[in-house]
Amino acid sequence: MTIIAASLLSADFSCLAEEVRRVEEGGADWLHFDIMDGHFVPNITMGPQVVQSLREKSRLFFDVHLMIENPEHFVEDFAKAGADLIVVSAESCNHLHRVLQTIRSLGKKAGVALNPSTPLTGIEYVLDQLDLVLIMTVNPGFGGQVFIPSVLPKINRLREMAGKRPLEIAVDGGINSVTAHQVVQAGASVLVAGSAVFGSPDIQQAIKMLRTGKTIV
Ligand code: DX5
Ligand code: ZN
């Protein structure tokens, strides 16, 4: 079944614990943390303290998406803070294999994110170190952007490349009831959604709609 990861970036930051409770009750599978440093992307969000504070409030799987330079300096902090999965951005890693090994040595699942313009070739030789690949379907930095359809064939190709490996393919950016269907058809197994979840008056229905790929009226 398709995994729904609710992105906190679109939550009300004045009451994060309450927002987490709302998506947990609404049926989200994962909580997605967008960590931005103002260098790798033109926005600043949160650090490990936020992850740690919310860890006590939720039983959800914590998916930490690092959009930062030098992620190797911070993976241990996020692991200790309670991340279950740590995703690094391929474009920020000079030594991707080493960072992935570090994440796994900390007992966490490891993932890599690829910007829309980044080809799959850079991950061909680290597939055995990966639990998840995050295909960015917008340019990272902000919630509420429009899905980039030219990325769709990359999902198909990655599924082919993965072969029989149990690799999760996640997509992030502009996921709504229409694009959810398209990416799942292409081979995505995890849908990250911010505005489609938190922007909905009925979170439970929104999550159900994303998971089934159907508009519920
Ligand atoms: C963008 C982030 C996303 C963002 C998605 O850089 O990685 O996780 O929250 O937001 P929506 O679902 O609104 O496009
Ligand atoms: Zn994200």
Side-chain angles (χ1 to χ4, degrees), residues 7 9 32-36 63 65 67 134 136 172-173 192:
S7 168
L9 192 61
H32 181 89
F33 292 81
D34 287 301
I35 312 298
M36 306 186 187
D63 159 23
H65 177 195
M67 285 161 276
L134 177 57
M136 290 305 302
D172 188 1
V192 178

Side-chain angles (χ1 to χ4, degrees), residues 11-161:
D12 179 346
F13 274 45
S14 72
C15 51
L16 278 182
E18 168 61 14
E19 293 286 75
V20 170
R21 193 189 57 75
R22 286 208 304 144
V23 287
E24 194 157 355
E25 285 179 7
D29 304 292
W30 293 7
L31 205 55
H32 181 89
F33 292 81
D34 287 301
I35 312 298
M36 306 186 187
D37 66 351
H39 292 277
F40 180 70
V41 286
N43 195 3
I44 299 175
T45 55
M46 53 191 127
Q49 297 90 335
V50 177
V51 176
Q52 188 172 5
S53 309
L54 292 174
R55 183 70 283 180
E56 299 154 17
K57 310 275 181 195
S58 172
R59 299 164 74 93
L60 290 177
F61 181 92
F62 275 18
D63 159 23
V64 173
H65 177 195
L66 299 182
M67 285 161 276
I68 60 176
E69 298 289 355
N70 303 311
E72 66 278 10
H73 295 170
F74 296 96
V75 290
E76 193 170 347
D77 290 343
F78 283 102
K80 283 187 182 151
D84 294 298
L85 162 74
I86 300 177
V87 180
V88 293
S89 299
E91 303 80 6
S92 72
C93 296
N94 288 328
H95 302 284
L96 180 58
H97 187 276
R98 181 183 289 154
V99 186
L100 297 173
Q101 273 188 320
T102 305
I103 296 170
R104 287 188 150 191
S105 72
L106 291 162
K108 306 300 178 183
K109 291 193 186 298
V112 64
L114 300 176
N115 281 342
S117 63
T118 303
L120 293 170
T121 45
I123 59 167
E124 191 175 348
Y125 301 107
V126 294
L127 276 181
D128 62 336
Q129 298 294 319
L130 287 169
D131 298 291
L132 174 145
V133 175
L134 177 57
I135 301 286
M136 290 305 302
T137 40
V138 297
N139 288 296
F142 303 94
Q145 300 183 77
V146 177
F147 180 85
I148 300 173
S150 61
V151 181
L152 271 172
K154 189 153 63 164
I155 304 168
N156 289 105
R157 281 188 206 130
L158 176 58
R159 194 44 89 196
E160 277 170 27
M161 195 190 217

